[in-house]
Amino acid sequence: MNRLERTIGAVLRSGTVASSSLFAVGLVMALTGYRDALAGVLLEAGLVILLATPATRVVVSVIEYVRERDWTFVVLTLVVLLALGGSVAAAYL
Amino acid sequence: MAVAFAMIGRINRRNVIADPAADPGRLGGRFYEEESGGVVTYRVRRLPLALVASFVAGNVSSLLGIGGGIIKVPVLNAWCGMPLRAAAATSALMIGVTATGGAVIYYGHGDLRPLLAAPAVLGVQLGSWSGSRLAENTSVKWLKLLMAALLAVVAVLMFLRSAR
């Protein structure tokens, strides 16, 4: 595995572990009614991390392809990033 | 249904080259495969076909609410020279990124219910973890049979639903 694959693997793994843990703890707290407000915050954080993980993966790819001077893939990945940015804009503007 | 038969027709054909030093080309790659007992190489062919298939998959998944992977994985495997495991991983990665685009919009509009999302995400997480463990120890022949059976079942279900 090269540096790009290892970094992407680390990003995806930490993102899924973090969001799943938050979801699991938040879900148990919400169902048992233990500190409802905090449970809501944990679930919300899990959701945000889950959504941010693939986006972070794309950002990491752009950076790594620039490092490798692989301009074809820099352009391709930037197009994907632009599309993701477009949906963020569509959601909040 | 046609894709299911294409999978069965190619059940014993492998897209991997056992030589780890073979040139994978611009888009191909190498990975360690338990089944072959070493590092294998693959090359990607017919890229325009993959583009068309993904376009069809995108339309179908938006129209019918089924995952696009059910179209992309067989096409990548049967016609574009990708090994099944690499095709499955590629499809999952693609869907992860593209689905985020849609999910962000729902989230921004406040349509995402964290309490409903949590059990769904945990279930999928558990399933994909055990699935990837299982795939490592299952021969590609069985994975292809499973894929073909799944395609056939989906085809029959959709047919029955539309006939009602």
Side-chain angles (χ1 to χ4, degrees):
Chain A
M1 271 204 286
N2 60 30
R3 198 190 137 106
L4 171 71
E5 290 168 327
R6 270 199 310 273
T7 320
I8 287 179
V11 167
L12 294 180
R13 202 167 300 126
S14 46
T16 37
V17 168
S19 67
S20 298
S21 315
L22 287 167
F23 275 140
V25 176
L27 189 62
V28 170
M29 284 171 65
L31 291 180
T32 52
Y34 176 72
R35 300 189 62 185
D36 260 337
L38 182 61
V41 172
L42 292 182
L43 288 173
E44 199 76 27
L47 209 53
V48 170
I49 292 177
L50 186 72
L51 289 175
T53 302
T56 312
R57 178 213 97 79
V58 179
V59 173
V60 166
S61 311
V62 174
I63 295 171
E64 281 299 313
Y65 284 131
V66 168
R67 279 178 55 101
E68 291 174 15
R69 300 182 188 287
D70 193 339
W71 304 117
T72 318
F73 277 82
V74 169
V75 171
L76 288 175
T77 335
L78 274 176
V79 170
V80 177
L81 194 59
L82 222 65
L84 280 179
S87 37
V88 174
Y92 290 99
L93 297 181
Chain B
M1 214 55 163
V3 187
F5 282 116
M7 296 286 301
I8 293 190
R10 306 175 56 96
I11 197 129
N12 280 317
R13 271 184 69 173
R14 295 298 322 274
N15 285 328
V16 295
I17 307 158
D19 177 13
D23 175 28
R26 189 88 174 89
L27 292 170
R30 299 187 179 92
F31 62 98
Y32 176 80
E33 194 186 51
E34 196 74 54
E35 194 176 347
S36 309
V39 174
V40 293
T41 310
Y42 66 91
R43 299 193 183 105
V44 177
R45 293 174 283 133
R46 303 196 192 103
L47 201 59
L49 181 69
L51 203 66
V52 172
S54 296
F55 179 74
V56 172
N59 279 301
V60 170
S61 72
S62 288
L63 278 172
L64 306 173
I66 60 166
I70 209 157
I71 294 172
K72 277 188 296 196
V73 174
V75 168
L76 284 175
N77 178 248
W79 292 306
C80 298
M82 286 195 77
L84 190 58
R85 288 176 236 265
T90 304
S91 167
L93 194 75
M94 270 196 274
I95 292 172
V97 173
T98 45
T100 305
V104 165
I105 294 178
Y106 284 123
Y107 181 77
H109 290 169
D111 293 335
L112 264 178
R113 296 274 163 279
L115 203 54
L116 292 178
V121 168
L122 290 173
V124 169
Q125 223 62 280
L126 216 65
S128 53
W129 179 79
S130 67
S132 60
R133 289 288 171 293
L134 207 66
E136 274 176 25
N137 302 309
T138 313
S139 76
V140 169
K141 193 173 168 177
W142 283 106
L143 291 179
K144 282 185 184 172
L145 262 181
L146 182 65
M147 185 83 210
L150 199 71
L151 285 167
V153 168
V154 170
V156 170
L157 281 180
M158 298 222 85
F159 181 75
L160 288 178
R161 202 184 295 173
S162 65
R164 238 187 309 174

